[in-house]
Amino acid sequence: AAIKLVPIMVGSLSTAAEKQLGELLVPTLNDEISLIVISSDFCHWGDRFGYQYYDKSKGEIWQSIEALDRRGMQLVASHDIVTWHQYLRQYRNTICGRHPIGVLLAAVTATAAPSTTTTFVKYAQSEHCHHISDSSVSYASALTTLNGSGSGSGGGGGAA
């Protein structure tokens, strides 16, 4: 069977627009043969990115960045879109794909799948920042699967 790739570009969206797009993706998410791929970097840290959040209680700068990212990853894995948006407002973490992730969370929230799991499989930073003059970009990979969608199918999935 031929593979059909349908790219969807998502820019800056309101919470309401994320919800609306997420609801449009529900049939595709519930389709056993569909795969939704969402791409995003996580924290862009450093003066050149205009973002230097640092919680010294977490250790070195790179450890603070990782703790911040892992908190966001935890929220994505819990599918808690409300707390995800609160996290973004509170920390202003420079996650490029925050809106596509919001669309995925909205889609997962709108599905009838009783068991949806998101597992982060890889996390890395381009550099371990030790000094305020350093910079880094974080990367995180996850797999979301739906089990037992409302239509009785096995469910599709998405990757962030």
Side-chain angles (χ1 to χ4, degrees):
I3 296 174
K4 185 190 294 186
L5 180 63
V6 181
I8 302 171
M9 299 289 293
V10 176
S12 182
L13 298 174
S14 67
T15 302
E18 288 177 3
K19 183 176 187 282
Q20 186 177 19
L21 283 173
E23 289 170 353
L24 289 172
L25 287 177
V26 169
T28 303
L29 201 60
N30 283 331
D31 183 345
E32 287 184 17
I33 62 169
S34 295
L35 173 69
I36 298 172
V37 178
I38 296 170
S39 178
S40 177
D41 297 338
F42 263 64
C43 185
H44 291 63
W45 194 95
D47 185 52
R48 68 187 177 132
F49 300 115
Y51 187 75
Q52 291 179 299
Y53 174 84
Y54 179 29
D55 179 351
K56 292 181 181 181
S57 73
K58 302 298 182 191
E60 292 196 53
I61 294 169
W62 70 269
Q63 293 167 313
S64 172
I65 296 167
E66 182 170 347
L68 179 67
D69 283 338
R70 290 203 182 272
R71 174 67 180 134
M73 293 161 60
Q74 177 186 36
L75 295 172
V76 171
S78 71
H79 311 127
D80 185 345
I81 193 168
V82 172
T83 309
W84 167 251
H85 286 122
Q86 290 171 348
Y87 161 86
L88 292 172
R89 281 191 303 275
Q90 179 179 354
Y91 295 103
R92 305 234 182 260
N93 195 349
T94 51
I95 299 169
C96 292
R98 62 190 167 278
H99 297 296
I101 291 169
V103 170
L104 175 67
L105 293 177
V108 167
T109 300
T111 65
S115 176
T116 302
T117 57
T118 296
T119 305
F120 278 84
V121 295
K122 182 73 174 168
Y123 175 81
Q125 295 176 359
S126 61
E127 297 291 332
H128 277 175
C129 295
H130 300 279
H131 308 286
I132 201 76
S133 59
D134 293 344
S135 64
S136 176
V137 176
S138 304
Y139 309 94
S141 298
L143 179 64
T144 298
T145 56
L146 276 64
N147 302 306
S149 69
S151 64
S153 68

